[in-house]
Amino acid sequence: MNLRFLEAFLWVARLGSFHGAGEKLNISQSGISSRIATLEMELDCRLFERSTREIRLTTSGRLLVQHAERILEAHREMRDALARNSAVTGTVRIGSIETVVHTLLVPFVEALQQHFPALDLELTAEPSENLREHLRRGGIDIAFQTEPVLDPGTINKPLCEYRMGWIASADIGRISLCDLAREPIITFPRGSQPYAAVEDAFRRVGTVPNRLHCVTSIAAIVRFVRAGLGVASLPIAAIRQELAAGSLSLIDTDVPLAPLRLYASYRPGLSSRLHDLIVEHAEQQVAAYCASEDHPTDIRSLSDQEL
C-alpha cells in the first residue's frame, strides 16, 4: 500500500476537504482525488460519503483512520531512527542518467545530506545500459535510469517521465516531421529510449532522417545545436535555462516524441531499507518539481502508478 495515499486520506479526513488536503500536501485537488480513488479500489470499499455540502467518513473510513495513523507513525519513527547520525553511515553508490544531473540531482543530494549527514555518496552519470550492467555486477547500489531491470529480485520503482522536444538553435515555427528529416538529427546513443523514440516518430510518417548523429552528453548536444550543426531531441526540463534565454528553441512538429521514463532500480540486501528511503527522497523531489509553477509540465510523476 502506498503511504502517500494513506497520508492524503488522513488529511481529507482531518480537514473534511479534498481541496484543503491538496493545499496541505502541496498537490492538486485532482491528485488527492486520484489517490483516494486508488485507495478505495485497493481496499474494495468506500471511505467517504460525498455530498454537495460536506464530506463524511464511512464506517470503513473511520476504521481506516485508526490503522492509517498507526502505520504512518511507525513509518515516521523508522525514518527518524535511520536519520540519526549514528544510524546511517557508510557509502551509497548511485548511478544516474545525465538528464537527472541537469534536473533533479542537486535538490536530491541536498535532501540526502540534510537527512543523512554522515552518509557518503559516490555518484556517476552514464547511459542507462551501462548503469543496468553496473547494478547487475554490484558496482552501484541504486540506478536512476530508463528501463526496469528484469533480473530476479531487483526492485524497480517508476519515478517520472520527462517530456521530450525537438530543439533548434533558432525559432523556426511549425514544421512537418518529413521536412525536419532533411536536417541533421542529433539524439542519444543507439539502444537508448530517446533514440528509439526518434526512430519511431519518423517511422510513423514513413520517412527516415538524412543524417542521424548519436551523442551521449546533453551538454555536447546543446553545443552542437547552438553551433547550427543540427536539430536535437532532448528532455525539455534539462534545457529550461537555454530555452528561457533564447539560445535554444522548441520546434513545433506534427508528431510528438514519446516521453523519457525514469526508474529507480536497486537490489534487496542488508541496506535495502536505506535504499528504500533514498528512493523516497527521489520521489519527493519529483513531486516538488511537478508542483512547481515554473515547470508544471516538464516532468510527470509516475510514483503513484504501478509498473
Side-chain angles (χ1 to χ4, degrees):
M1 181 179 296
N2 194 312
L3 295 180
R4 291 189 304 279
F5 295 172
L6 287 179
E7 186 179 34
F9 162 74
L10 282 178
W11 280 112
V12 174
R14 291 165 180 165
L15 301 176
S17 166
F18 282 63
H19 177 74
E23 288 188 337
K24 180 68 179 180
L25 297 176
N26 197 29
I27 62 176
S28 66
Q29 182 174 332
S30 62
I32 293 290
S33 298
S34 175
R35 293 184 181 189
I36 298 301
T38 302
L39 192 59
E40 289 180 327
M41 184 180 300
E42 182 177 345
L43 297 175
D44 194 25
C45 64
R46 291 187 63 82
L47 301 173
F48 294 101
E49 295 291 349
R50 302 164 176 84
S51 69
T52 56
R53 290 186 297 177
E54 61 179 345
I55 297 173
R56 294 179 297 167
L57 286 164
T58 63
T59 301
S60 296
R62 289 193 293 272
L63 180 62
L64 181 60
V65 165
Q66 303 172 27
H67 291 286
E69 288 178 340
R70 289 199 295 268
I71 291 171
L72 291 177
E73 179 60 29
H75 183 251
R76 283 191 292 269
E77 290 176 357
M78 177 194 65
R79 292 188 60 173
D80 289 344
L82 284 173
R84 297 189 187 102
N85 292 1
S86 59
V88 182
T89 59
T91 300
V92 173
R93 302 162 300 170
I94 298 175
S96 172
I97 59 173
E98 194 183 0
T99 298
V100 174
V101 175
H102 287 266
T103 55
L104 301 168
L105 185 63
V106 169
F108 169 63
V109 171
E110 288 175 344
L112 290 185
Q113 289 181 339
Q114 178 182 354
H115 287 85
F116 310 114
L119 190 67
D120 294 326
L121 300 178
E122 289 183 6
L123 300 173
T124 182
E126 294 192 39
S128 289
E129 185 176 0
N130 295 356
L131 295 174
R132 290 191 289 271
E133 186 60 27
H134 291 327
L135 188 66
R136 291 187 180 103
R137 294 178 179 273
I140 57 176
D141 301 308
I142 302 173
F144 295 113
Q145 46 81 43
T146 60
E147 301 286 345
V149 178
L150 300 181
D151 297 349
T154 301
I155 299 170
N156 296 286
K157 290 192 176 183
L159 294 180
C160 63
E161 60 182 23
Y162 289 88
R163 187 161 66 99
M164 298 291 292
W166 294 106
I167 310 299
S169 59
D171 186 0
I172 61 177
R174 184 171 178 80
I175 184 173
S176 72
L177 211 60
C178 289
D179 290 335
L180 194 66
R182 301 189 183 101
E183 301 289 333
I185 303 297
I186 308 170
T187 188
F188 293 93
R190 296 177 188 274
S192 69
Q193 199 177 111
Y195 183 94
V198 167
E199 280 196 322
D200 180 67
F202 284 111
R203 189 182 301 116
R204 287 162 62 186
V205 296
T207 189
V208 293
N210 289 344
R211 283 171 289 172
L212 185 59
H213 304 308
C214 299
V215 180
T216 301
S217 165
I218 289 179
I221 293 176
V222 167
R223 295 191 67 176
F224 291 157
V225 173
R226 291 176 65 176
L229 299 179
V231 300
S233 69
L234 283 171
I236 294 173
I239 53 167
R240 268 297 171 190
Q241 291 184 348
E242 290 82 359
L243 292 173
S247 59
L248 295 178
S249 297
L250 274 171
I251 302 174
D252 184 14
T253 68
D254 52 345
V255 178
L257 288 163
L260 175 69
R261 283 203 162 197
L262 181 69
Y263 291 83
S265 302
Y266 57 98
R267 301 178 65 82
L270 293 176
S271 300
S272 60
R273 189 59 225 152
L274 172 60
H275 298 163
D276 281 335
L277 294 177
I278 290 174
V279 171
E280 283 184 20
H281 281 292
E283 291 175 331
Q284 292 167 10
Q285 295 308 315
V286 169
Y289 189 102
C290 293
S292 169
E293 294 182 358
D294 295 329
H295 315 299
T297 61
D298 291 348
I299 302 179
R300 186 171 72 92
S301 175
L302 297 175
S303 57
D304 291 346
Q305 302 179 16
E306 295 183 358
L307 281 172

